[in-house]
């Protein structure tokens, strides 16, 4: 399954800053057609799709697209390294980390339930002008505070092609332009 996220800055679905997520298709109880699909088979199909989408995107334009792939079998990591894929999620490991977080802190149940539900919060790439005036000087902490007033959580930002997630330096002012993108966690 291929999902795409729309970039709110440019409005493109498959533009220069598009993000595509490829999820594995495994059998579910009672699914007669997929009952023989193993985690390795699902990973193979996901990687084939990933390489095909990447090839199509490179032929359509010179722009890059971020491809995030879900893999089911942790041993597939070696194959992913050969395919030069940098963004992937091992779904079993993700579930294990979520369970570990919940076992350590019970209050995290509601947070994870919200993040993993279809109606929960989502990650958005926003124009920094939602939070600061164009071409103005402001710290990331200021952006975080303004995002909080909108009911959002600022996770980081991208500037000049470099991504800063959970930046350590939150207090130094920087110049924000319309070429920057702020990554936030927000309700749809």
């Amino acid at each position: 399954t291929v999902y795409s996220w729309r970039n709110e800055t440019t409005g493109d679905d498959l533009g220069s800053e598009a993000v595509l997520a490829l999820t594995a298709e495994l059998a579910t109880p009672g699914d007669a057609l997929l009952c023989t699909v193993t985690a390795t088979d699902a990973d193979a199909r996901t990687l084939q799709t990933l390489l095909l989408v990447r090839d199509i995107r490179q032929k359509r334009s010179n722009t890059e697209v971020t491809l995030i792939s879900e893999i089911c079998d942790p041993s597939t990591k070696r194959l992913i390294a050969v395919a030069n894929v940098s963004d992937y999620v091992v779904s079993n490991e993700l579930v294990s980390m979520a369970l570990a977080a919940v076992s350590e802190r019970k209050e995290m149940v509601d947070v994870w339930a919200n993040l993993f539900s279809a109606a929960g919060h989502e990650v958005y790439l926003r124009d920094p002008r939602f939070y600061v005036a164009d071409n103005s000087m402001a710290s990331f902490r200021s952006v975080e505070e303004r995002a909080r007033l909108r009911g959002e959580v600022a996770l980081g930002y991208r500037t000049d092609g470099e991504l800063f997630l959970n930046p350590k330096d939150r207090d130094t002012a920087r110049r924000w332009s319309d070429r920057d993108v702020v990554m936030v966690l927000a309700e749809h």
Side-chain angles (χ1 to χ4, degrees):
T1 308
V2 179
Y3 297 96
S4 69
W5 281 267
R6 183 179 176 150
N7 183 328
E8 291 191 11
T9 302
T10 63
D12 292 343
D13 282 325
L14 289 173
S16 61
E17 299 174 23
V19 177
L20 296 176
L22 304 174
T23 61
E25 292 184 32
L26 283 173
T28 57
D31 191 349
L33 293 176
L34 294 175
C35 65
T36 60
V37 175
T38 65
T40 304
D41 294 336
D43 288 351
R45 288 189 353 204
T46 299
L47 288 176
Q48 286 173 341
T49 305
L50 173 127
L51 295 172
L52 180 63
V53 168
R54 186 165 59 186
D55 186 54
I56 290 169
R57 284 298 303 154
Q58 287 174 346
K59 288 178 180 174
R60 280 171 116 193
S61 68
N62 293 330
T63 59
E64 287 294 318
V65 63
T66 301
L67 297 169
I68 303 171
S69 300
E70 174 192 26
I71 61 172
C72 302
D73 184 356
S75 65
T76 306
K77 286 186 205 180
R78 290 187 302 276
L79 183 57
I80 283 185
V82 173
N84 197 22
V85 175
S86 59
D87 297 324
Y88 64 91
V89 174
V90 182
S91 54
N92 294 337
E93 290 177 4
L94 184 63
V95 171
S96 296
M97 286 188 282
L99 289 173
V102 168
S103 70
E104 289 179 16
R105 297 185 61 196
K106 303 290 187 235
E107 61 271 14
M108 292 298 293
V109 169
D110 292 336
V111 173
W112 287 107
N114 185 289
L115 289 174
F116 289 141
S117 74
H121 285 67
E122 300 173 358
V123 174
Y124 290 92
L125 303 177
R126 299 237 198 255
D127 189 307
R129 292 176 286 191
F130 278 99
Y131 315 101
V132 294
D134 190 29
N135 221 17
S136 66
M137 296 291 291
S139 67
F140 183 71
R141 190 166 312 279
S142 296
V143 170
E144 284 180 307
E145 290 167 2
R146 292 179 182 138
R148 196 172 305 123
L149 292 173
R150 293 171 46 94
E152 302 171 350
V153 176
L155 303 172
Y157 63 93
R158 186 180 63 212
T159 184
D160 297 325
E162 192 172 355
L163 180 64
F164 296 90
L165 281 177
N166 192 22
K168 292 180 182 178
D169 184 6
R170 289 174 148 66
D171 297 314
T172 303
R174 60 174 303 275
R175 187 163 308 280
W176 296 87
S177 76
D178 61 353
R179 294 183 313 273
D180 297 330
V181 177
V182 176
M183 183 181 294
V184 297
L185 188 63
E187 280 190 282
H188 181 61

